[in-house]
Amino acid sequence: MKLINTAVDEVRKAETKEQNILRGQRYFFLKNRENLTETQLKSLQAIESMSKLNLKTVKAYHIRENFQGIYKEATKERFEKSLKKWYF
């Protein structure tokens, strides 16, 4: 998770130079969705809904969330299958 969080933050930093909407939004993308305050969650959802911007940061965040979901699998076999699916 540390490597993925670092990657998401690097994508965000690079994209912030082009997209001012991402300025000051670092922790939205590094915190788990369930740990965001209501205000932070609304702001994150607003950014996510701006699909016309095609933000790389949002894509990286979704990759992070999908990876994190792998750890919720009930069995080792399902975990391995989900990890392979995520990887490819």
Side-chain angles (χ1 to χ4, degrees), residues 17-80:
K17 296 173 185 171
E18 302 166 9
Q19 299 290 340
N20 288 333
I21 193 165
L22 296 173
R23 291 195 189 282
Q25 312 301 331
R26 176 181 186 191
Y27 295 104
F28 293 0
F29 299 104
L30 297 179
K31 288 173 90 175
N32 294 332
R33 192 175 290 262
E34 59 271 6
N35 294 335
L36 294 171
T37 65
E38 192 172 324
T39 305
Q40 289 174 329
L41 184 58
K42 286 180 182 178
S43 296
L44 175 62
Q45 290 169 338
I47 292 170
E48 287 177 321
S49 70
M50 296 179 190
S51 59
K52 65 182 177 192
L53 293 177
N54 200 22
L55 297 172
K56 294 175 186 174
T57 304
V58 172
K59 289 179 185 177
Y61 180 70
H62 289 157
I63 290 169
R64 175 191 176 276
E65 284 186 319
N66 290 334
F67 181 77
Q68 200 167 19
I70 294 169
Y71 289 94
K72 296 178 183 173
E73 293 293 353
T75 65
K76 180 181 175 185
E77 292 77 22
R78 289 184 62 171
F79 171 83
E80 288 175 356

